[in-house]
């Protein structure tokens, strides 16, 4: 059979038959399958089957997809859920380095090739932006597709015409947009599919839909690398949040064929919650699994920081190739110092020139031998240049940053200004400015006699940030003694002092930017991502003195860290630093990825929090159990907001205990969870014995009339409650009747929210009669209940405090 015949539809009606050469489809599927069947990222040459080890990661929609909070499946990435711009064809999958973006695309590719998913797409063309960086010719779209993905042996024009005629059957993927050397320019338009242009111009026109409108595109990138100019062309944005706790368990068990070893690794992680938090990052989970022997033998010296984990994999690889198997302490580093410095030089040159793929000549310039390559830190790149010469890349971009950091710490060739300039890059990341002064952060290719090209890209600053984080960790008290055996002690101490000064200076700059409070309002700091990065650097140094010094200068009432990509790893660092704040503060962490493990990591700092906001953080009942057990003993703690999480009735047992125990507690917001009447009854037990609560929010749950009756019974004689929301809870007339008791008797209640329920005219009458006995109550909100427009107008005339 030489051609395939497809029935094509427009989403509503079948309108015809189209043909596609079968030989090309088979060749493309085989090519995609061959590229995808083995783990490509940090798998090295071990040929790990993707089917054997792939573990689902947490996918969420960007906050711009309002009202959608459900977890996503792989196929939802290209599905309709969460669409914010129906005219656009590009989906952005964003995640931090090591969060699993490339592996996720690889899994989609493999499922398509196996016809196990994405069956609506007849053709799939995968691209790597690293590979596109190597293409210096001007190409048209047809040449881009066929030369960089799969070359048709014949009938090229027919195949390309099929793509032009049926774009909705085609899927393009572009991995690592943040690694593209050229920045996005909106003015360069290329509309004709036969018109040649630089590859990055073609890519931007494809994303915008100027070229091949209707073709679905999935693009991966790190957060912050895609600016507003490109985001306006997105169909939706999907956030990749790494592994869930169950995902960590699944990955470790898949990684180890010996179930006993897997169980020991998982037991070790449960005993070290800081390390467990790190393992939410797939690349770190892989390292921990790979180094299970080192992990299980380290006892109380178990890794606490990201730097610890990368040093563990460094030691693992080197000791595997060590000539002295009995080498202990830092002996393995001394034995392989030359290799570390040569790989570090290559890494640093690549970082400063936004290069992740290296030629044999690049390796030779840095003195890297075949023996060094065999260590396993460098692997042969699949993104081969047009000349088909061998190219190499580090196992992962974070590994490249780690070696660059090792070079800064250990090399005697780095300039004295290297460390300060490395930490100055926050000026670039916060303002969005690009500067060639970043070139001076690390030894450049020109200084070393190399020939790598110089570019400034969106990837440059994040990679330098990761490098700076590693530098902080390598110069910690725990590790710096090891380096003194390999280089000048005075040089190491100088770099330690430089990092300490840079961190202090960076924090003070953030504090100086805090605006003066509006009269009558609290002094608030809305932290930028650069602030979180500095916090992580302080944690990597493991110097409580630096943390105390930084927090002694922070004078705010409210610290806002919303939308800052804060997961368990960041929570560990935040708690390490924030526990030293002088006076109680409100900590707002809404719309992050804290989760249950992150909640546990925050516990060391909750004693300095008077309020904690954790909206939309994927927290379950277990996280609440741990949190309430701690805050019940914290005198300052008065408010908590937990809406848009995954709480069920089980959580209310712990919250009820909190209400009973803390007679200074002021505000409880549990909206948009999964609490039913049973949970409301448990809450009522705590509410009945609490005499301080002013604000109670239970909107968007399922408590119904029975739950409303329980809440009303508990609060009927409250002298403190000011605001109560039971919006969208299936409350009917029986619930309204019970709540009218609060309205009648409460001397403090000012607002009652009952919108989006099932209350009829009869139920409203109970509230009207109750309001006659309460002159100080301001409003009862009743919009979207079961009243006709005539009934609404009638009751508004009777009681103007009823708001519809």
């Amino acid at each position: 059979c030489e051609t395939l015949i497809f029935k094509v539809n427009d989403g509503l009606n079948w309108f015809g038959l189209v043909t596609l050469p079968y030989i090309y489809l088979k060749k493309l599927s085989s090519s995609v399958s061959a590229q995808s069947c083995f783990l490509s990222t940090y798998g090295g040459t071990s040929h790990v089957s993707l089917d054997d080890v792939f573990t689902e990661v947490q996918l969420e929609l960007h906050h711009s997809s309002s009202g959608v909070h459900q977890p996503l499946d792989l196929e939802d990435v290209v599905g309709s859920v969460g669409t914010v711009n129906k005219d656009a064809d590009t989906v952005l999958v964003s995640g931090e380095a090591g969060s699993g973006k490339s592996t996720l695309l690889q899994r989609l590719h493999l499922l398509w090739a196996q016809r196990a998913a994405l069956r609506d797409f007849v053709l799939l063309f995968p691209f790597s932006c690293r590979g596109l960086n190597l293409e210096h010719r001007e190409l048209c779209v047809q040449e881009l597709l066929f030369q960089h993905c799969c070359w048709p042996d014949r009938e090229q024009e027919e195949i390309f015409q099929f793509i032009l005629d049926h774009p909705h059957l085609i899927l393009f993927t572009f991995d690592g947009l943040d690694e593209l050397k050229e920045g996005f320019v909106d003015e360069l338009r290329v509309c004709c599919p036969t018109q040649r242009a630089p590859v990055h111009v073609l890519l931007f026109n494809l994303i915008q839909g100027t070229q091949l409108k209707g073709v679905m595109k999935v693009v991966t990138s790190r957060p912050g690398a895609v600016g507003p100019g490109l985001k306006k062309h997105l169909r939706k944005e999907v956030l990749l949040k790494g592994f869930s706790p169950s995902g960590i368990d699944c990955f470790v068990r898949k990684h180890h064929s010996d179930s006993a070893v897997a169980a020991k690794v998982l037991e070790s992680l449960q005993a070290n919650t800081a390390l467990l938090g790190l393992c939410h990052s797939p690349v770190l989970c892989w390292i921990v699994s790979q180094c299970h022997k080192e992990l299980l033998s380290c006892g109380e010296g178990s890794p606490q920081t990201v730097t610890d984990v990368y040093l563990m994999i460094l030691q693992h690889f080197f000791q595997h190739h060590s000539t002295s198997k009995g080498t202990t302490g830092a002996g393995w580093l001394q034995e392989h110092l030359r290799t570390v410095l040569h790989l570090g030089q290559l890494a640093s040159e690549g970082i400063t020139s936004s290069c992740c793929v290296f030629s044999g000549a690049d390796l030779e310039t840095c003195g890297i031998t075949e023996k060094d390559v065999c260590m396993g830190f460098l692997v042969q790149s699949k993104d081969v240049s047009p000349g088909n010469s061998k190219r190499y890349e580090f196992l992962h971009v974070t590994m490249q940053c780690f070696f660059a950091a090792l070079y800064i710490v250990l090399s005697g060739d780095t300039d004295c200004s290297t460390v300060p300039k490395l930490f100055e890059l926050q000026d670039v990341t916060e303002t969005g400015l690009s500067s060639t002064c970043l070139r001076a952060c690390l030894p450049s290719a020109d200084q070393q006699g190399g020939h790598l090209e110089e570019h400034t890209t969106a990837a440059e600053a994040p990679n330098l940030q990761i490098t700076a984080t590693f530098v902080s960790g390598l110069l910690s008290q725990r590790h710096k003694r090891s380096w003194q055996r390999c280089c000048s002690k005075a040089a190491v101490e100088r770099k330690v002092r430089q990092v300490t000064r840079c961190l202090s200076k960076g924090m003070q700059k953030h504090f100086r930017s805090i605006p003066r409070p509006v009269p009558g309002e609290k002094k608030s700091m809305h932290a930028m991502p650069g602030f979180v990065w500095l916090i992580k650097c302080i944690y990597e140094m493991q110097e409580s003195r630096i943390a105390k010094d930084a927090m002694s200068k922070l004078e705010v009432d409210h610290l806002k860290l919303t939308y800052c990509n804060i997961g368990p790893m960041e929570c560990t660092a935040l708690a390490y630093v924030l526990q030293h704040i002088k006076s109680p503060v409100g900590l707002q962490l809404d719309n992050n990825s804290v989760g249950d493990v992150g909640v546990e990591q925050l516990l060391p700092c909750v004693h300095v929090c008077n309020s904690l906001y954790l909206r939309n953080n994927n927290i379950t009942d277990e996280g609440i159990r741990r949190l309430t057990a701690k805050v019940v003993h914290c005198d300052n703690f008065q408010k908590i907001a937990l809406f848009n999480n995954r709480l069920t009735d089980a959580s209310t047992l712990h919250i009820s205990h909190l209400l009973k125990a803390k007679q200074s507690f002021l505000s409880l917001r549990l909206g948009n969870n999964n609490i039913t009447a049973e949970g409301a009854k448990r809450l009522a037990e705590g509410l009945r014995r609490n005499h301080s609560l002013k604000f109670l929010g239970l909107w968007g749950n399922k408590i119904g009339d029975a739950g409303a009756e329980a809440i009303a019974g508990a609060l009927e004689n409250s002298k403190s409650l000011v605001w109560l929301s039971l919006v969208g809870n299936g409350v009917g007339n029986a619930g309204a009747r019970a709540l009218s008791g609060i309205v009648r008797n409460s001397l403090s209640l000012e607002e009652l929210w009952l919108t989006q329920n099932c209350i009829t005219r009869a139920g409203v009458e109970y509230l009207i009669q109750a309001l006659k006995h309460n002159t100080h109550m301001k409003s009862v909100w009743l919009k979207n209940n079961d009243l006709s427009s005539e009934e609404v107008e009638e009751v508004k005339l009777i009681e103007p405090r009823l708001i519809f």
Side-chain angles (χ1 to χ4, degrees):
C1 178
E2 294 192 356
T3 60
L4 288 178
I5 301 176
F6 294 93
K7 241 181 177 182
V8 182
N9 70 74
D10 61 358
L12 297 173
N13 302 298
W14 297 100
F15 61 75
L17 300 175
V18 297
T19 62
L20 174 69
Y22 171 71
I23 293 176
Y24 181 71
L25 179 59
K26 185 177 180 180
K27 182 178 181 181
L28 178 63
S29 298
S30 298
S31 173
V32 171
S33 178
Q35 294 175 40
S36 308
C37 60
F38 295 111
L39 184 65
S40 62
T41 52
Y42 51 82
T45 56
S46 55
H47 297 295
V48 177
S49 169
L50 188 66
D51 279 332
D52 290 343
V53 298
F54 180 78
T55 303
E56 295 283 353
V57 287
Q58 299 177 96
L59 295 170
E60 297 177 8
L61 289 167
H62 189 264
H63 62 89
S64 58
S65 302
S66 58
V68 182
H69 302 289
Q70 66 196 65
L72 303 181
D73 294 326
L74 267 180
E75 287 201 82
D76 289 328
V77 171
V78 295
S80 60
V81 61
T83 297
V84 294
N85 183 358
K86 293 182 180 179
D87 295 328
D89 310 308
T90 300
V91 176
L92 173 64
V93 177
S94 64
E96 299 289 352
S99 60
K101 300 182 295 295
S102 298
T103 305
L104 179 139
L105 274 193
Q106 192 181 349
R107 183 60 176 169
L108 284 174
H109 297 163
L110 184 60
L111 291 174
W112 174 82
Q114 295 171 341
R115 305 310 293 160
L118 306 180
R119 301 188 70 170
D120 290 338
F121 298 103
V122 176
L123 298 178
L124 184 150
F125 294 93
F127 296 92
S128 162
C129 290
R130 283 190 186 182
L132 296 180
N133 280 332
L134 303 174
E135 180 59 81
H136 303 296
R137 300 171 297 167
E138 291 196 354
L139 303 175
C140 67
V141 172
Q142 181 174 340
E143 292 167 334
L144 177 70
L145 295 180
F146 294 157
Q147 293 182 21
H148 277 266
C149 288
C150 182
W151 180 266
D153 297 314
R154 58 182 181 177
E155 301 179 277
Q156 293 181 31
E157 297 304 324
E158 290 85 346
I159 295 168
F160 190 63
Q161 192 60 50
F162 175 88
I163 295 170
L164 295 176
D165 292 342
H166 308 289
H168 58 287
L169 298 179
I170 315 301
L171 175 63
F172 294 169
T173 65
F174 296 95
D175 189 26
L177 185 67
D178 53 299
E179 295 182 351
L180 202 66
K181 290 186 175 181
E182 289 79 8
F184 171 67
V185 181
D186 202 14
E187 290 78 20
L188 300 174
R189 302 288 184 182
V190 180
C191 303
C192 178
T194 59
Q195 181 181 348
R196 286 191 172 92
V199 168
H200 73 280
V201 174
L202 288 182
L203 172 55
F204 294 141
N205 277 270
L206 286 168
I207 290 174
Q208 294 174 85
T210 310
Q211 285 267 23
L212 299 187
K213 178 69 176 173
V215 170
M216 179 67 73
K217 281 84 62 176
V218 177
V219 178
T220 68
S221 175
R222 280 186 262 185
V226 179
L230 205 53
K231 282 198 172 185
K232 66 184 180 183
H233 300 290
L234 296 181
R235 185 176 182 86
K236 63 182 174 183
E237 182 176 355
V238 175
L239 307 178
L240 204 160
K241 300 289 190 173
F243 288 147
S244 65
S246 61
I248 295 173
D249 186 287
C250 179
F251 181 86
V252 171
R253 293 187 188 281
K254 285 185 174 183
H255 193 87
H256 296 286
S257 55
D258 187 336
S259 59
V261 172
K264 288 180 181 178
V265 172
L266 291 170
E267 183 181 349
S268 179
L269 292 179
Q270 292 299 328
N272 181 351
T273 55
L275 184 58
L276 180 62
L278 295 178
C279 285
H280 283 259
S281 167
V283 67
L284 294 176
C285 195
W286 171 79
I287 291 175
V288 168
S289 296
Q290 192 78 5
C291 303
H292 65 276
K293 290 182 180 178
E294 290 83 355
L295 176 67
L296 297 176
S297 64
C298 60
E300 293 183 1
S302 182
Q304 299 290 317
T305 68
V306 178
T307 306
D308 293 345
V309 173
Y310 276 77
L311 281 170
M312 188 168 64
I313 192 71
L314 189 74
Q315 183 176 358
H316 171 82
F317 274 57
F318 279 143
Q319 289 194 335
H320 184 70
H321 293 87
S322 177
T323 55
S324 306
K325 296 299 181 182
T327 302
T328 59
W332 59 271
L333 177 62
Q334 291 173 292
E335 181 181 346
H336 299 284
L337 181 60
R338 185 196 64 82
T339 299
V340 170
L341 291 175
H342 290 174
L343 289 172
Q345 181 183 339
L346 180 73
S348 64
E349 291 180 1
I351 294 279
T352 57
S353 59
S354 301
C355 181
C356 297
V357 181
F358 306 96
S359 67
D362 297 329
L363 271 63
E364 187 177 343
T365 298
C366 294
I368 295 172
T369 65
E370 187 64 33
K371 183 180 178 181
D372 296 331
V373 174
C374 290
M375 290 289 178
F377 299 108
L378 288 174
V379 294
Q380 192 169 337
S381 174
K382 293 183 178 181
D383 302 316
V384 180
S385 64
N388 290 326
S389 59
K390 272 189 179 181
R391 296 253 172 184
Y392 300 88
E393 60 189 7
F394 283 87
L395 272 175
H396 193 266
V397 66
T398 54
M399 188 69 74
Q400 182 175 345
C401 295
F402 180 62
F403 270 98
L406 282 167
Y407 188 69
I408 291 172
V409 171
L410 298 176
S411 174
D413 296 333
T414 54
D415 189 87
C416 290
S417 63
T418 297
V419 170
K421 287 178 178 175
L422 183 63
F423 282 86
E424 285 172 7
L425 71 102
Q426 67 168 317
D427 296 334
V428 177
T429 57
E430 298 299 349
T431 61
L433 299 176
S434 175
S435 171
T436 55
C437 73
L438 291 177
R439 206 65 53 216
C441 286
L442 299 171
S444 70
D446 289 343
Q447 291 172 327
Q448 300 296 336
H451 54 273
L452 297 170
E453 296 182 12
E454 289 194 359
H455 295 273
T456 300
T457 73
E460 189 173 66
N463 286 341
L464 287 169
Q465 277 194 338
I466 295 171
T467 303
T469 306
F470 281 132
V471 168
S472 302
L474 291 171
L475 293 173
S476 67
Q477 194 72 30
R478 182 176 180 178
H479 298 304
K480 68 179 183 180
R481 293 187 184 90
S482 300
W483 317 138
Q484 291 170 0
R485 303 181 187 179
C486 306
C487 56
S488 163
K489 178 179 179 180
V492 171
E493 292 296 342
R494 171 175 55 81
K495 291 169 184 175
V496 170
R497 291 192 298 272
Q498 286 179 323
V499 172
T500 302
R501 282 197 299 269
C502 289
L503 294 177
S504 177
K505 182 181 176 182
M507 295 296 280
Q508 289 179 40
K509 180 179 179 181
H510 278 278
F511 299 159
R512 285 195 300 270
S513 69
I514 301 172
R516 290 186 177 182
V518 175
E521 293 188 5
K522 293 182 177 181
K523 188 176 183 181
S524 179
M525 174 182 172
H526 192 165
M528 302 294 285
F531 176 79
V532 179
W533 166 60
L534 288 170
I535 292 280
K536 289 166 71 175
C537 289
I538 293 173
Y539 175 71
E540 289 293 316
M541 287 204 81
Q542 291 288 289
E543 282 278 1
S544 59
R545 174 180 55 83
I546 301 175
K548 289 177 182 177
D549 179 66
M551 292 299 99
S552 68
K553 299 176 176 67
L554 178 60
E555 296 179 355
V556 294
D557 301 304
H558 190 84
L559 182 57
K560 190 174 182 181
L561 289 159
T562 58
Y563 299 111
C564 283
N565 295 307
I566 291 174
M569 187 190 317
E570 289 74 20
C571 289
T572 306
L574 280 171
Y576 181 82
V577 176
L578 295 183
Q579 64 181 312
H580 300 295
I581 289 179
K582 294 187 298 181
S583 54
V585 67
L587 180 58
Q588 188 169 354
L589 294 170
D590 294 340
N591 297 292
N592 284 294
S593 306
V594 171
D596 293 343
V597 176
V599 166
E600 184 165 4
Q601 296 307 102
L602 287 172
L603 296 184
C605 76
V606 296
H607 68 280
V608 299
C609 298
N610 53 34
S611 56
L612 190 56
Y613 302 84
L614 291 167
R615 169 187 180 183
N616 196 24
N617 268 290
N618 207 29
I619 297 168
T620 73
D621 303 330
E622 177 59 20
I624 299 308
R625 182 188 69 79
R626 297 175 183 179
L627 180 61
T628 54
K630 176 70 174 182
V631 299
V632 74
H633 302 294
C634 299
D635 294 337
N636 296 318
F637 197 80
Q638 296 180 320
K639 301 177 183 179
I640 191 166
L642 292 163
F643 40 105
N644 294 348
N645 280 291
R646 296 168 54 200
L647 309 186
T648 70
D649 293 337
S651 69
T652 59
L653 179 65
H654 312 297
I655 296 170
S656 181
H657 175 65
L658 174 68
L659 290 169
K660 294 174 186 177
K662 287 192 70 66
Q663 293 303 318
S664 60
F665 200 67
L666 301 178
S667 178
L668 175 64
R669 301 174 192 262
L670 300 172
N672 287 350
N673 280 287
N674 298 294
I675 298 170
T676 70
E678 290 304 310
K681 291 174 184 177
R682 286 182 187 157
L683 276 179
E685 295 174 12
L687 291 169
R688 188 173 284 107
R689 292 170 57 181
N690 182 280
H691 307 295
S692 60
L693 193 71
K694 290 186 175 182
F695 302 92
L696 176 60
L698 286 168
W699 64 93
N701 282 287
K702 305 168 186 176
I703 70 169
D705 280 334
E709 289 171 341
I711 297 293
L715 294 173
E716 188 170 5
N717 297 309
S718 171
K719 295 180 175 63
S720 61
L721 192 71
V722 174
W723 181 91
L724 173 62
S725 174
L726 299 179
V727 170
N729 264 286
V731 177
N733 291 345
R737 181 176 185 176
L739 291 165
S740 68
I742 305 180
V743 175
R744 179 187 296 267
N745 299 322
S746 177
L747 299 176
S748 57
L749 188 65
E750 296 179 358
E751 290 189 55
L752 174 61
W753 285 74
L754 293 172
T755 57
Q756 298 176 18
N757 279 295
C758 315
I759 302 169
T760 68
R761 175 64 178 82
V764 172
E765 186 61 32
Y766 296 122
L767 298 169
I768 292 174
Q769 294 303 317
L771 283 167
K772 291 179 179 179
H773 299 274
N774 190 330
T775 57
H776 69 269
M777 189 159 184
K778 295 178 179 179
S779 56
V780 178
W781 295 76
L782 288 164
K783 186 178 180 180
N784 293 333
N785 275 279
D786 290 346
L787 280 77
S788 67
S789 56
E790 292 80 9
E791 289 173 327
V792 168
E793 293 304 319
E794 175 196 349
V795 297
K796 282 167 64 177
L797 290 174
I798 298 172
E799 177 50 77
R801 287 178 291 175
L802 298 179
I803 311 297
F804 289 88

